DNA sequence: CTATATTGGTCAACATGGCTGACGTAAAAC
DNA sequence: GTTTTACGTCAGCCATGTTGACCAATATAG
């Protein structure tokens, strides 16, 4: 730690490199979410609302339990958020066709507008970063990020790519 | 949105690509912090404590206001966290040599132990991801993450790299 | 030397968004 | 007909962010 005496340059660089990664993740995630957070704050919403809107937006008709699986939070936490979103007219639900216990979630027109505002904001940030960094960098970026995931999350993402809620 | 009719394949891929980035950031950050969060929870601490410990750990003798600049939170929030950390013996402070208003922050032995436990945990995750993805991917990863930063954050990081608090 | 600015802390109050536990209801599945 | 599932609700707790007000010690500029 305070052991500046290099046990080996490779190892020292490695430690530095890992710390750089850790820090970059912290700062990048903060800045990446920051802009959206401001917009959300205007509408008295938070990041939790954003997540719900986002995943309902790209999985229209998703069930509550599938959304819970994606978000990995308790149903109580999600329920609070969803109630708010429905009360404010961003989200609607309709009973499942085959299983009528299910509440299939959809964005309203207002919800779609907000979702695309937020997503295009974050998308623009990504687009700029991708453009600066180049195609190869983007591939590396995604490979490393995937490497950071828990194995359950990887399964979930792959599975989600196949599933269509439409 | 539901407009599957491709206006152009490049554009469609781009939208998909951006969404993939957004989602990967969310999942990766969650999983990346998850392990450390568990350990912290055992000691009745949260992510805020971790951040403080981390940045004190790699900037021993940092002042409160410099730490505030890094973390971008209010001094009230930080103060609460620091008080806890000092009470529990993870952090000590000593008055600045030149400016005696300053409280220079240091990790105690206990603090160092915890910090390295947490950092090596996150470091191992990064090391694995880096190893899997390869050197070029790591470079791309870092380039893209830097591209996601606000310009102020970039300045701050570059400046921080030069500053030595020792 | 005095006035002001800086560094840092404190108290109070509030919101968000996690959590647990308990309990209820409707519908599906067996 | 009983059990399981999908979903909701109420109550309360905790961590962590926020504002606003106010205070003390010290540095610095006039």
């Amino acid at each position: 730690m305070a052991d500046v005496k290099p046990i080996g340059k490779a190892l020292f660089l490695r430690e530095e490199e890992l710390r750089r990664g850790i820090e970059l993740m912290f700062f990048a995630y903060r800045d990446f979410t920051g802009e959206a957070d401001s917009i959300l704050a205007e509408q008295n919403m938070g990041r939790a609302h954003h997540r719900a809107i986002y995943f309902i937006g790209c999985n229209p008709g998703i069930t509550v339990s599938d959304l819970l699986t994606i978000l990995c939070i308790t149903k109580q936490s999600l329920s609070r958020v969803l109630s708010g979103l429905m009360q404010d007219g961003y989200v609607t639900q309709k009973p499942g066709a085959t299983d009528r216990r299910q509440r299939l979630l959809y964005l309203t027109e207002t919800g779609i507008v907000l979702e695309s505002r937020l997503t295009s904001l974050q998308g623009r940030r990504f687009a700029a970063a991708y453009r600066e960094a180049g195609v190869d960098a983007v591939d590396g970026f995604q490979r490393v990020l995937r490497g950071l995931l828990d194995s359950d999350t990887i399964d979930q993402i792959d599975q989600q790519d196949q599933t269509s809620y439409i």
Side-chain angles (χ1 to χ4, degrees), chain A residues 30-43:
Chain A
R30 187 187 60 190
D31 289 356
F32 159 66
T33 53
E35 261 180 333
D37 286 351
S38 314
I39 290 186
L40 290 158
E42 289 168 19
Q43 347 260 262

Side-chain angles (χ1 to χ4, degrees), chain A residues 17-151:
Chain A
E17 192 95 50
L18 296 178
R19 284 203 175 258
R20 195 190 329 277
I22 291 173
E23 287 163 33
L24 272 176
M25 275 299 279
F26 167 58
F27 291 120
Y29 191 76
R30 187 187 60 190
D31 289 356
F32 159 66
T33 53
E35 261 180 333
D37 286 351
S38 314
I39 290 186
L40 290 158
E42 289 168 19
Q43 347 260 262
N44 293 312
M45 290 195 255
R47 218 174 276 178
H49 299 84
H50 186 186
R51 284 174 201 144
I53 287 178
Y54 178 88
F55 286 108
I56 295 170
C58 55
N59 298 295
I62 191 175
T63 63
V64 174
S65 70
D66 283 346
L67 189 50
L68 278 175
T69 305
I70 292 177
L71 296 175
C72 289
I73 57 174
T74 59
K75 65 172 176 173
Q76 291 92 327
S77 297
L78 179 57
S79 199
R80 182 170 41 198
V81 168
L82 283 181
S83 311
L85 288 175
M86 291 193 295
Q87 204 163 357
D88 298 351
Y90 294 101
V91 168
T92 47
Q93 58 184 20
K94 67 177 188 191
T98 59
D99 185 337
R100 291 184 39 236
R101 290 170 304 179
Q102 297 177 335
R103 266 85 155 182
L104 308 186
L105 302 168
Y106 297 90
L107 295 184
T108 61
E109 281 306 313
T110 325
I112 291 174
V113 168
L114 179 58
E115 195 278 336
S116 40
R117 191 146 88 97
L118 294 168
T119 298
S120 75
L121 204 64
Q122 296 193 320
R124 271 198 291 278
R125 187 177 283 257
F126 260 104
Y130 281 2
R131 201 170 42 241
E132 271 178 57
V135 184
D136 292 349
V138 172
D139 181 66
F141 169 73
Q142 294 187 352
R143 292 239 303 276
V144 172
L145 275 195
R146 279 185 67 93
L148 290 175
L149 299 178
D150 288 343
S151 55

